[in-house]
Each structure stands twice: as structure tokens, then as C-alpha cells.
Amino acid sequence: MKKLWDHHNVSGEMSIRPLAGGKWRVEIHAEKDLRESTLQKFAEYRIEGD
């Protein structure tokens, strides 16, 4: 989350919660639409489902 706030200037509401297997889910309700380039930088971390 810190990288999103500080490096990518994403603002809005963010929450984080633990998932099974030691992973974490970050939910973002951004104030502005995220650029495709920003989404691509985090694509390797995306998971499907809960």
C-alpha cells in the first residue's frame, strides 16, 4: 500500500486483509481511475477469488 501511495500517487480508500496461504488482499477505491501502466506494474501480484 505504501508503494501505491508514495510512488504511484494513488489516493482514495485502501484496505488490506489476510487470505489463506499467507497472501494479502488489498482493496482500492481510488479517487481517480488508475492508469493502465500502473495496473500492469502490479499484474504479477493479482490473484483471483478470495
Side-chain angles (χ1 to χ4, degrees), residues 1-39:
M1 286 179 34
K2 184 168 177 46
K3 189 172 185 179
L4 289 169
W5 278 322
D6 296 342
H7 185 69
H8 295 288
N9 297 319
V10 174
S11 60
E13 293 183 31
M14 295 186 207
S15 64
I16 187 168
R17 62 184 173 98
L19 298 176
K23 296 190 180 241
W24 296 86
R25 175 181 217 95
V26 176
E27 296 176 347
I28 303 168
H29 299 278
E31 292 177 347
K32 297 186 281 185
D33 290 338
L34 299 177
R35 293 187 305 235
E36 187 63 32
S37 60
T38 301
L39 294 173

Side-chain angles (χ1 to χ4, degrees), residues 23-24 36 39-49:
K23 296 190 180 241
W24 296 86
E36 187 63 32
L39 294 173
Q40 289 300 320
K41 289 178 183 177
F42 291 92
E44 67 183 274
Y45 303 109
R46 296 181 82 176
I47 59 171
E48 298 295 324

